[in-house]
Amino acid sequence: MVRLGLIDYGMGNLHSVQQAFKRLDRSLQLVRSEGELSGCDALVLPGVGSFDPAMDHLEECKLVKPIRKWALDEKPLLGICLGLQLFFESSEEGSSKGLGVFKGHAQLLPCAEGERIPHMGWSPLNKRKPCPLFSQNDCKDWMYFVHSYFVVPTDHSDIAASTTFGTKNVTAVVWKNRLGACQFHPEKSSLAGQRLLISWLNWLDSGANSWA
Amino acid sequence: MVALRLIPCLDVANGRVVKGVNFVDLRDAGDPVELACRYSAAGADELVFLDIAASHEGRSTLVELVRRTAESVTIPFTVGGGIGSLEGITELLRAGADKISLNSSAVRNPELISDGAERFGSQCIVVAIDARRRKSDSSRWDVYVKGGRENTGLDVVNWSKKVADLGAGEILLTSMDGDGTQEGYDLDLTRMVSEKVPIPVIASGGAGCIEDIVDVLTMGSASAALLASLLHDGVLSIQQIKSELLLRSLDVRPLES
């Protein structure tokens, strides 16, 4: 069975993510240092909070380079919420450099869209391309979002799904090769979130083939 | 468009639900976790647990309750009641709560809002405001604390703006005049606060029928409606409310198949 690691850098609602996988009968090995990566086949990078402290914490755990290398080696990695934003080069929220495994930046959600910030609550996904996080069915997946910043990938084809915020489309899922991330919280998104995690696990279990 | 939310609120004391809930086939109507799962399956968008005993001795029971809830419930939940320090916030978030609701402690020590938001993110910090219409000036509301027993003299709109500035991610606004009456939410109050802050406002207190919920989500500009006795007493189900809101073309998350 694929061995899963959960990066524990002091910035995540680790507990909810662990519980979500536990409900699917999968356990996550906590990863707090580079050494602990060797026992993992796939990684989850969670994250709640703000950009700079998160990068500082990753830096303190000496995990920035190893995660970059992990992504460069095209090993499976799933980012959640702030974890997604950390995959990018930088964020308007802070001055730290991100992991940069995706090209692009995080920006503040547009105000004057008649929407409140933070974007907090359930929104449906508009899928742009198939990826291992989506099951085959066509049902509308509503996910639970909580964020004030969103990412704008330089390469638009990295976007696997978006959601509507006012009149704008904001990035909800990115995917490239074996690297994926979602802006919302699948672990808090009821059955729709559970389906997404199951899809990811099925993909891992069936060999984790690289997807464009 | 982010969907309007329906949020059942469970009052708990010493790990048990205080007000009885009227589901026919519940094994244990007093078990908050079983009720939480029930509401989640019925289509609730979030849940709120309010510890109304909030005693020092009860704290470990509350932490245990949060831990058990986090194991089984797959939607976000907020915990409130007597949380007065960063340590208290940390303990409950670690146990698996998604958000912490601060009330009296935020008035006493507003820095708790900013400290909490800085440490854990704004999304974790909900400020609960208990509001009562001023007798001398019915276009203003006072902030009450200590379970509604003490008038702080603070103006609700000013306090709302301040908590938003300090980094609260959401306001849970209860009309004390409406609470328990089932005569409708205080629409003036809800609209006034919603218009003055950029963050979401959850309206609470007074829901008696579907029309009240429609009104507060439209005329009241609320982002979410907190529901208690209406659901607990079995007057309406979440499904009934959502179907009706969808018929009126309001954005809600449809029931999952």
Side-chain angles (χ1 to χ4, degrees), chain B residues 119-153:
Chain B
R119 178 115 154 236
F120 303 107
S122 286
Q123 80 290 336
C124 289
I125 307 297
V126 181
V127 174
I129 302 178
D130 291 341
R132 175 167 276 166
R133 218 180 261 263
R134 218 170 262 181
K135 288 214 169 61
S136 56
D137 177 358
S138 65
S139 64
R140 299 179 85 87
W141 291 261
D142 288 316
V143 177
Y144 279 70
V145 291
K146 299 189 177 164
R149 290 190 301 274
E150 189 179 309
N151 185 355
T152 62

Side-chain angles (χ1 to χ4, degrees), chain B residues 149-171:
Chain B
R149 290 190 301 274
E150 189 179 309
N151 185 355
T152 62
L154 288 169
D155 174 74
V156 167
V157 172
N158 289 338
W159 175 236
S160 301
K161 286 198 265 192
K162 183 163 180 197
V163 305
D165 287 344
L166 286 169
E170 208 166 30
I171 289 173

Side-chain angles (χ1 to χ4, degrees), chain B residues 91-204:
Chain B
E91 190 179 25
L92 291 163
L93 289 177
R94 286 234 175 98
D98 298 286
K99 310 180 193 182
I100 298 300
S101 167
L102 305 171
N103 192 335
S104 306
S105 59
V107 173
R108 201 164 53 235
N109 174 22
E111 273 184 22
L112 191 55
I113 303 170
S114 41
D115 290 351
E118 198 169 305
R119 178 115 154 236
F120 303 107
S122 286
Q123 80 290 336
C124 289
I125 307 297
V126 181
V127 174
I129 302 178
D130 291 341
R132 175 167 276 166
R133 218 180 261 263
R134 218 170 262 181
K135 288 214 169 61
S136 56
D137 177 358
S138 65
S139 64
R140 299 179 85 87
W141 291 261
D142 288 316
V143 177
Y144 279 70
V145 291
K146 299 189 177 164
R149 290 190 301 274
E150 189 179 309
N151 185 355
T152 62
L154 288 169
D155 174 74
V156 167
V157 172
N158 289 338
W159 175 236
S160 301
K161 286 198 265 192
K162 183 163 180 197
V163 305
D165 287 344
L166 286 169
E170 208 166 30
I171 289 173
L172 169 52
L173 182 63
T174 301
S175 156
M176 291 173 58
D177 304 293
D179 210 16
T181 64
Q182 307 212 344
E183 286 176 355
Y185 293 93
D186 187 333
L187 298 181
D188 298 335
L189 166 71
T190 314
R191 185 174 48 238
M192 187 84 92
V193 173
S194 297
E195 281 172 359
K196 293 285 164 34
V197 297
I199 57 178
V201 172
I202 306 166
S204 152

Side-chain angles (χ1 to χ4, degrees), chain A:
Chain A
M1 196 179 265
V2 174
R3 295 164 303 172
L4 304 167
L6 178 64
I7 299 169
D8 176 9
Y9 60 117
M11 285 297 285
N13 206 347
L14 291 184
H15 191 271
S16 336
V17 177
Q18 274 176 311
Q19 291 300 336
F21 279 92
K22 201 171 154 193
R23 283 192 286 270
L24 302 173
D25 288 324
R26 299 296 284 256
S27 62
L28 295 169
Q29 185 69 43
L30 290 184
V31 172
R32 299 192 180 91
S33 65
E34 184 176 5
E36 288 168 321
L37 286 173
S38 58
C40 303
D41 304 308
L43 288 181
V44 179
L45 179 65
V48 168
S50 44
F51 197 85
D52 283 3
M55 285 309 298
D56 290 348
H57 278 81
L58 277 182
E59 200 71 69
E60 279 163 27
C61 301
K62 299 196 169 38
L63 280 168
V64 172
K65 273 189 190 157
I67 295 174
R68 267 199 201 123
K69 183 174 183 314
W70 184 280
L72 232 64
D73 292 346
E74 293 198 9
K75 293 186 189 175
L77 174 58
L78 177 67
I80 296 176
C81 196
L82 181 62
L84 172 145
Q85 298 180 7
L86 300 178
F87 282 176
F88 284 77
E89 294 165 290
S90 63
S91 171
E92 268 181 20
E93 191 181 15
S95 54
S96 296
K97 270 174 83 173
L99 292 165
V101 296
F102 277 95
K103 294 263 178 266
H105 307 276
Q107 334 183 323
L108 187 62
L109 284 166
C111 45
E113 285 290 327
E115 298 274 4
R116 290 175 187 269
I117 298 174
H119 172 211
M120 188 180 302
W122 297 83
S123 297
L125 295 185
N126 309 316
K127 291 171 189 166
R128 302 276 195 90
K129 66 172 185 186
C131 79
L133 296 173
F134 305 147
S135 47
Q136 296 306 314
N137 65 22
D138 277 336
C139 65
K140 198 99 174 149
D141 288 323
W142 287 70
M143 299 291 181
Y144 189 82
F145 288 80
V146 186
H147 62 126
S148 299
Y149 293 81
F150 73 107
V151 295
V152 182
T154 308
D155 185 350
H156 283 254
S157 68
D158 289 340
I159 301 174
S162 61
T163 193
T164 316
F165 186 79
T167 59
K168 299 267 194 313
N169 282 316
V170 301
T171 307
V173 179
V174 292
W175 190 276
K176 186 173 74 177
N177 306 325
R178 293 187 181 85
L179 189 58
C182 37
Q183 180 60 70
F184 50 86
H185 288 275
E187 76 282 10
K188 285 287 159 184
S189 296
S190 197
L191 297 176
Q194 206 162 58
R195 275 199 299 272
L196 181 141
L197 294 178
I198 291 172
S199 296
W200 188 62
L201 289 171
N202 287 343
W203 169 74
L204 290 175
D205 290 339
S206 61
N209 293 321
S210 184
W211 281 52

